[in-house]
C-alpha cells in the first residue's frame, strides 16, 4: 500500500520524471514542479511505495476566492495505476483543502480520459461545464466540481 505524504525537496527528480511523461519537456516539467513546490507547498502530495515515488497531486486555493480550489495535477506512474493510489492522493488533497475552508474543488479532465472520469465521479465530482479547445485546438476539457 502507498503512503501519502507532503512533497519534500528529495522528491523533486522522481516527480519531475512523472510530470515529464505527460508534458514531454524536461525543462517545462522541472520549472512547473519547482514552482509548485513553492506556491502549493502544503497542498502538494506524493505517494510512496517501497521507497519509490509512485504518484503525486497538486492543488491550489484561489487567491481572490479562497472558498474555491483547483486540482492542478494528479499523476500515477503507469505500473502503479489501478491500485487506489490516485484515490488516496485526491482524498488527502481534499482533506487538506477542507482544512483551509475550501467549499468547492474544481478540476479539468479530457472527456476522453475514460480511466480518470469514473474515479472523479466516485469521489463526488460532477460535471460543471465543457470547454472546447481549453488548452488549444483539439484539447477539449470537462470542468468537474465537488462541493465540500
Amino acid at each position: 500500500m502507498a503512503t501519502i505524504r507532503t512533497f519534500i525537496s528529495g522528491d523533486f527528480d522522481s516527480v519531475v520524471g512523472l510530470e515529464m511523461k505527460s508534458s514531454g519537456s524536461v525543462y517545462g516539467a522541472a520549472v512547473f514542479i519547482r514552482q509548485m513546490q513553492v506556491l502549493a507547498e502544503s497542498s502538494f502530495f506524493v505517494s510512496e511505495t517501497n521507497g519509490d515515488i509512485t504518484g503525486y497531486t497538486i492543488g491550489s486555493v484561489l487567491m481572490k476566492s479562497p472558498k474555491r480550489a483547483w486540482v492542478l495535477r494528479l499523476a500515477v506512474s503507469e505500473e502503479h495505476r489501478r491500485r487506489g493510489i490516485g484515490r488516496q492522493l485526491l482524498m488527502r488533497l481534499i482533506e487538506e483543502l477542507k482544512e483551509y475552508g475550501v467549499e468547492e474543488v474544481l478540476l479539468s479532465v479530457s472527456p476522453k480520459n475514460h480511466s480518470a472520469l469514473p474515479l472523479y465521479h466516485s469521489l463526488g465530482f460532477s460535471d460543471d461545464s465543457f470547454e472546447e479547445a481549453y488548452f488549444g485546438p483539439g484539447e477539449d476539457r470537462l470542468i468537474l466540481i465537488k462541493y465540500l
Side-chain angles (χ1 to χ4, degrees), residues 1-4 47 83-93 119:
M1 183 169 192
T3 300
I4 307 302
S47 61
R83 298 182 187 180
I85 292 172
R87 176 178 299 280
Q88 286 179 270
L89 284 163
L90 277 177
M91 288 172 59
R92 180 62 187 95
L93 175 59
L119 168 64

Side-chain angles (χ1 to χ4, degrees), residues 7-127:
F7 175 93
I8 58 173
S9 292
D11 301 329
F12 181 77
D13 290 337
S14 296
V15 174
V16 167
L18 288 171
E19 176 68 19
M20 197 174 63
K21 289 181 181 175
S22 65
S23 72
S25 164
V26 177
Y27 177 76
V31 168
F32 175 73
I33 296 304
R34 192 61 79 197
Q35 289 171 336
M36 290 299 99
Q37 180 182 0
V38 173
L39 298 173
E41 179 182 19
S42 63
S43 56
F44 189 159
F45 298 97
V46 298
S47 61
E48 185 175 3
T49 307
N50 300 322
D52 294 324
I53 300 303
T54 54
Y56 68 99
T57 190
I58 303 169
S60 182
V61 176
L62 301 181
M63 290 178 67
K64 289 188 176 183
S65 186
K67 299 286 185 194
R68 296 185 111 193
W70 277 81
V71 175
L72 303 175
R73 286 288 194 279
L74 174 64
V76 176
S77 65
E78 185 93 27
E79 60 273 15
H80 289 91
R81 291 181 185 162
R82 302 288 211 213
R83 298 182 187 180
I85 292 172
R87 176 178 299 280
Q88 286 179 270
L89 284 163
L90 277 177
M91 288 172 59
R92 180 62 187 95
L93 175 59
I94 290 166
E95 181 182 301
E96 184 72 18
L97 295 172
K98 276 185 191 178
E99 289 182 25
Y100 283 105
V102 168
E103 296 175 358
E104 300 173 355
V105 180
L106 296 111
L107 60 83
S108 74
V109 61
S110 168
K112 298 175 188 172
N113 191 338
H114 301 293
S115 58
L117 285 167
L119 168 64
Y120 297 142
H121 288 139
S122 75
L123 287 169
F125 285 88
S126 58
D127 295 0

